[in-house]
Amino acid sequence: MSLALSLARRGLGNTWPNPAVGCVLVREGVIVGRGWTQPGGRPHAERHALAQAGAKAKGAVAYVTLEPCSHFGKTPPCAQGLVTAGVARVVSAMTDPDPRVAGRGHDMLRAAGIVVDEGVLETQARALQCGFLSRIENGRPWLALKLATSFDGRIALASGESQWITSAASRAHVHALRAQFDAVMVGGQTARTDDPLLTVRGFDPVCQPVRVVAARHLDLPRARLAASAKDTPLWLCHGPEAPKDARDFWHAQGASLIEVPQGPDGLSPVDLLRVLGQAGLTRVFCEGGGQFAAALMRAGLVDELIGFTAGAVLGGDGRAALGPMGLVHLTEAPRYQLASQRVIGGDILHRWRRA
């Protein structure tokens, strides 16, 4: 199952709206097939492993990180595929919460006389499936907020100078992280200030993440983002009052326009994440800016904090990583638990998950 989980990780960022699943087929102590969900979500991990195993799948044990599907979609059910192949036993890490499955896959296997064991390494599997689970159970993608700061939590000098606070190794690692998410998202202010590409660079990813910009009035620079909209998916989330000429321009460039209801201080963060979930996204990597990130935090939408902290001190006149939170009491502060930490290029990478 540990191997199956490692295979599943290969699909992160490439399989949405489907989950990233891994499957290992073992017969008489020998691995005869391995598979993981392929880019675009097809074929599924089980089908990939069965194709590799061929006739050797008969009598084998299948280790799968998520309950095999039981419904007909673009392909027949994977549970039926395992039955047809003649596997003797299926070990799954967790039940699929998708209402179309929700235990029916396990039932289909048992009805065919296959031994089914559930819940093996379930905690690890649920952590891996955090995005898929969030979309199914909460109606929105898992949201990770990345902050690259000085030791004292600043992202720039008072003048705005920010290149570079963290090391080249840390910046390269950010690109590796982007590749593991379905989408990279920023607020309108960051887009106006930096006109960022928001792509994975430095290596060739299986596919580029969707680039999401939340800009109420679509008042964005018509430079790098516009020039690359036809080559790399660009979703612009805007308010109902975005000017028609701006909508027409970005549509002509090849961007997808998504209207989001207005909140008291701009686009509604809750509705923004809801529409992204409806569009199929399961994992979103947010890179700011400060006001936008604070709005997401105030709305209770940030599931994970990913921090790169450098050994530089910028002082109180530097620009803060987050905008005002409006907290009155310390007990109101969002709390996260440390999940992992490591040194990268002299910086500290620390990841925190919601308590």
Side-chain angles (χ1 to χ4, degrees):
M1 187 62 78
S2 292
L3 175 58
L5 287 167
S6 71
L7 294 173
R9 290 188 188 95
R10 299 185 183 186
L12 290 178
N14 303 316
T15 66
W16 66 276
N18 288 355
V21 178
C23 177
V24 177
L25 294 172
V26 179
R27 179 177 172 179
E28 298 178 354
V30 177
I31 293 175
V32 295
R34 303 186 309 160
W36 57 94
T37 312
Q38 295 299 290
R42 296 289 189 283
H44 288 183
E46 299 93 324
R47 295 284 178 179
H48 199 217
L50 288 170
Q52 187 179 95
K56 294 180 181 178
K58 186 175 179 63
V61 179
Y63 295 86
V64 190
T65 61
L66 183 69
E67 175 187 8
C69 64
S70 58
H71 60 288
F72 283 84
K74 295 181 179 179
T75 57
C78 288
Q80 185 58 55
L82 292 167
V83 171
T84 302
V87 302
R89 178 180 170 218
V90 172
V91 181
S92 74
M94 58 177 288
T95 300
D96 188 341
D98 189 324
R100 297 172 297 176
V101 186
R104 295 182 185 89
H106 290 149
D107 292 342
M108 183 182 293
L109 295 168
R110 290 190 175 104
I114 296 174
V115 176
V116 177
D117 295 308
E118 304 176 42
V120 175
L121 299 187
E122 182 173 1
T123 299
Q124 294 92 319
R126 290 188 67 87
L128 180 71
Q129 296 290 358
C130 61
F132 176 68
L133 293 174
S134 181
R135 189 174 69 83
I136 295 296
E137 297 173 351
N138 303 323
R140 66 169 181 84
W142 175 272
L143 181 65
L145 172 63
K146 185 270 292 184
L147 299 172
T149 70
S150 63
F151 178 81
D152 52 341
R154 304 291 161 171
I155 59 172
L157 298 175
S159 64
E161 182 183 350
S162 61
Q163 296 183 348
W164 295 101
I165 294 174
T166 54
S167 67
S170 291
R171 298 195 297 276
H173 193 74
V174 169
H175 286 274
L177 286 172
R178 286 179 178 180
Q180 298 175 24
F181 284 78
D182 307 342
V184 177
M185 180 171 68
V186 297
Q189 184 58 50
T190 294
R192 286 187 290 272
T193 302
D194 300 337
D195 189 26
L197 278 174
L198 302 178
T199 54
V200 175
R201 300 185 296 280
F203 61 94
D204 292 325
V206 175
C207 59
Q208 287 285 352
V210 174
R211 300 172 299 165
V212 178
V213 179
R216 178 173 45 171
H217 299 298
L218 289 177
D219 48 343
L220 300 170
R222 301 182 177 186
R224 293 203 299 173
L225 278 175
S228 60
K230 284 187 171 67
D231 300 321
T232 306
L234 176 64
W235 295 3
L236 301 181
C237 298
H238 61 86
E241 299 178 356
K244 183 179 182 302
D245 63 335
R247 298 190 196 204
D248 290 344
F249 170 82
W250 286 104
H251 184 267
Q253 302 310 304
S256 297
L257 303 180
I258 303 175
E259 186 171 307
V260 177
Q262 190 101 345
D265 303 311
L267 299 182
S268 164
V270 172
D271 287 314
L272 170 63
L273 269 290
R274 176 182 55 80
V275 297
L276 293 180
Q278 290 174 344
L281 296 182
T282 66
R283 292 162 54 87
V284 174
F285 187 68
C286 180
E287 298 197 40
Q291 299 297 326
F292 181 51
L296 294 168
M297 188 73 75
R298 289 195 303 269
L301 298 171
V302 177
D303 301 296
E304 181 179 11
L305 295 173
I306 301 177
F308 290 85
T309 302
V313 178
L314 304 189
D317 54 343
R319 298 187 180 182
L322 284 176
M325 291 284 291
L327 303 177
V328 177
H329 302 288
L330 192 57
T331 53
E332 300 171 357
R335 295 282 181 175
Y336 294 79
Q337 294 176 340
L338 183 63
S340 65
Q341 60 180 333
R342 57 184 288 200
V343 177
I344 295 184
D347 305 324
I348 300 295
L349 165 60
H350 42 115
R351 300 182 70 154
W352 304 73
R353 289 202 169 197
R354 187 193 301 273

